[in-house]
Amino acid sequence: MQNVLNRRVMLAGLASSGFLPAAARGAVHAADRRGDWAWLEGNWKVEHRRLRRRLVQDSHWDRFTGTSAVWMTLGGLGTIDDNLLRLPGGDYRAVGIRAYDPAADRWSIWWLDGRNPTRIDPPVTGRLEGDTGTFTGSDRFEGRPIDVRFHWQGIHGSRPHWQQSFSPDGGASWEMNWENFFTRTRKIPAPLPLLPESDPGRAPDDWRFLAGRWTVRHRKLRKRLAGSRDWDEFGGTFVNWPTLGGNGNVGDNLMEAPTGDIRGVGFRAWDPATREWLSWWLDGRDPGRIGAPLRGRFVDGIGTYLSDDTHEGRPVKTRVTWSRITGRTARWEQAFSVDGGASWEVNWTSDFTRVA
């Protein structure tokens, strides 16, 4: 759990209560996509072929290798892949994020480049059908608007194949500029090696304490910013692993709330320019959207992260703190402020106990 927990009701809960339109209810129940990316879980050797210059009719390709580790998240309705790419000009790391929206029956795919850790690329969306999958979206390249297409082939074979193409003319023509061939090296995912401690680009080891498996005891204020003293208490589980060579990490959450299970993925990346961590939250109840990140750092063993947000239409500041950190315990706390940070109302606490 790493960022502000959205206040939306789960789609499945809405469907069961009758508040979701019939078409959306059908989508929720008919399109169980939990197995869509199961074939990709694990570790892979990746052979890359990348066009040297894009959208200039270049014919020169660079070939290089890489590795990838892929985990399932959101109970099977999401994935995280951690990537090491050994480009001719030097290695870089990146994270891919996927989440499935039952109402739209579409997957969203985002990309976070470790060389520019403050920006998550706009998503491409689509679905897998049989042995292939196509995902499209819009972005900008060198200042000009483009359409982007990802295409997967042979996903159930021994060498799954991915291609990326750009279109500068609204999809009338496409230039394929990158392709990968995957060879499995491990079925159960294991984290990729961390950057060496001597690497000047390596982030502080602030989050080493969080890697592993945890049980969580949650205490959530029933109504926020209303003077409420009523709290819900419930359990949950949490799994965390490092990404970006240690300059990032990912946490997969299951929260057993009284109104129904809540799943979410939090992920972080180190910004060397500001020497701060950025922390995003992808809520399984709103899986087509990643909100703005919190920013902060650890000082004297306490991590404090801040952002601007809204709650029920009013602007608030959000503060998240990590404290009480030992080898086997930690506490996460979320608070809101409506007066610019002069006063804070704590609305959620989570106490972590290590399992492994």
Side-chain angles (χ1 to χ4, degrees), residues 1-2 72-74 80 210 212 237-243 248-254 263-268 280-282 352:
M1 194 164 43
Q2 301 183 2
M72 305 304 294
T73 61
L74 299 175
I80 291 285
L210 198 56
T237 58
F238 176 80
V239 183
N240 179 274
W241 59 93
T243 59
N249 63 83
V250 171
D252 188 33
N253 300 263
L254 168 61
R263 293 186 181 269
V265 177
F267 52 99
R268 305 180 182 87
W280 291 267
W281 175 252
L282 172 58
F352 289 67

Side-chain angles (χ1 to χ4, degrees), residues 199-264:
D199 191 316
R202 177 165 165 164
D205 286 334
D206 292 329
W207 296 102
R208 180 176 290 183
F209 77 92
L210 198 56
R213 295 182 176 273
W214 304 76
T215 58
V216 189
R217 191 65 191 169
H218 298 277
R219 190 167 182 261
K220 176 180 175 290
L221 192 62
R222 201 166 291 169
K223 188 168 179 59
R224 301 170 182 177
L225 302 177
S228 174
R229 296 179 180 271
D230 297 322
W231 293 79
D232 289 323
E233 297 191 15
F234 50 94
T237 58
F238 176 80
V239 183
N240 179 274
W241 59 93
T243 59
L244 300 174
N247 286 8
N249 63 83
V250 171
D252 188 33
N253 300 263
L254 168 61
M255 294 161 277
E256 299 162 343
T259 53
D261 290 350
I262 301 170
R263 293 186 181 269

Side-chain angles (χ1 to χ4, degrees), residues 51-298:
L51 195 61
R52 196 167 297 170
R53 300 176 63 217
R54 302 173 184 177
L55 300 179
V56 292
Q57 298 183 341
D58 190 16
S59 59
H60 299 91
W61 294 81
D62 289 324
R63 297 177 182 270
F64 52 95
T65 61
T67 54
S68 181
V70 183
W71 292 265
M72 305 304 294
T73 61
L74 299 175
L77 295 183
T79 73
I80 291 285
D81 56 87
D82 188 32
N83 302 275
L84 169 60
L85 300 93
R86 300 194 177 280
L87 274 70
D91 295 353
Y92 88 91
R93 310 263 183 159
V95 171
I97 306 111
R98 299 181 185 88
Y100 175 68
D101 183 350
D105 188 21
R106 299 183 76 80
W107 287 88
S108 295
I109 306 175
W110 296 266
W111 183 255
L112 171 61
D113 188 324
R115 299 168 299 183
N116 184 14
T118 65
R119 180 182 189 268
I120 299 175
D121 289 350
V124 293
T125 65
R127 61 177 63 89
L128 297 170
E129 299 291 350
D131 213 31
T132 66
T134 302
F135 305 83
T136 58
S138 299
D139 202 350
R140 299 188 71 84
F141 178 71
E142 296 183 347
R144 62 199 288 197
I146 59 167
D147 291 322
V148 180
R149 182 175 68 197
F150 291 178
H151 186 62
W152 282 94
Q153 304 172 61
I155 62 175
H156 300 302
S158 59
R159 294 188 77 214
H161 178 205
W162 172 90
Q163 292 180 334
Q164 175 182 272
S165 301
F166 288 173
S167 173
D169 52 17
S173 62
W174 293 89
E175 176 187 83
M176 194 270 285
N177 57 56
W178 200 327
E179 64 179 346
N180 300 337
F181 290 90
F182 289 72
T183 303
R184 182 182 297 281
T185 58
R186 182 182 171 97
K187 190 168 184 177
I188 299 175
L192 300 184
L194 302 181
L195 292 164
E197 293 186 5
S198 59
D199 191 316
R202 177 165 165 164
D205 286 334
D206 292 329
W207 296 102
R208 180 176 290 183
F209 77 92
L210 198 56
R213 295 182 176 273
W214 304 76
T215 58
V216 189
R217 191 65 191 169
H218 298 277
R219 190 167 182 261
K220 176 180 175 290
L221 192 62
R222 201 166 291 169
K223 188 168 179 59
R224 301 170 182 177
L225 302 177
S228 174
R229 296 179 180 271
D230 297 322
W231 293 79
D232 289 323
E233 297 191 15
F234 50 94
T237 58
F238 176 80
V239 183
N240 179 274
W241 59 93
T243 59
L244 300 174
N247 286 8
N249 63 83
V250 171
D252 188 33
N253 300 263
L254 168 61
M255 294 161 277
E256 299 162 343
T259 53
D261 290 350
I262 301 170
R263 293 186 181 269
V265 177
F267 52 99
R268 305 180 182 87
W270 171 250
D271 180 6
T274 61
R275 298 196 65 78
E276 292 179 316
W277 290 94
L278 284 78
S279 179
W280 291 267
W281 175 252
L282 172 58
D283 194 316
R285 299 166 296 181
D286 187 17
R289 173 181 175 272
I290 297 176
L294 292 151
R295 278 182 169 271
R297 56 171 60 94
F298 277 82

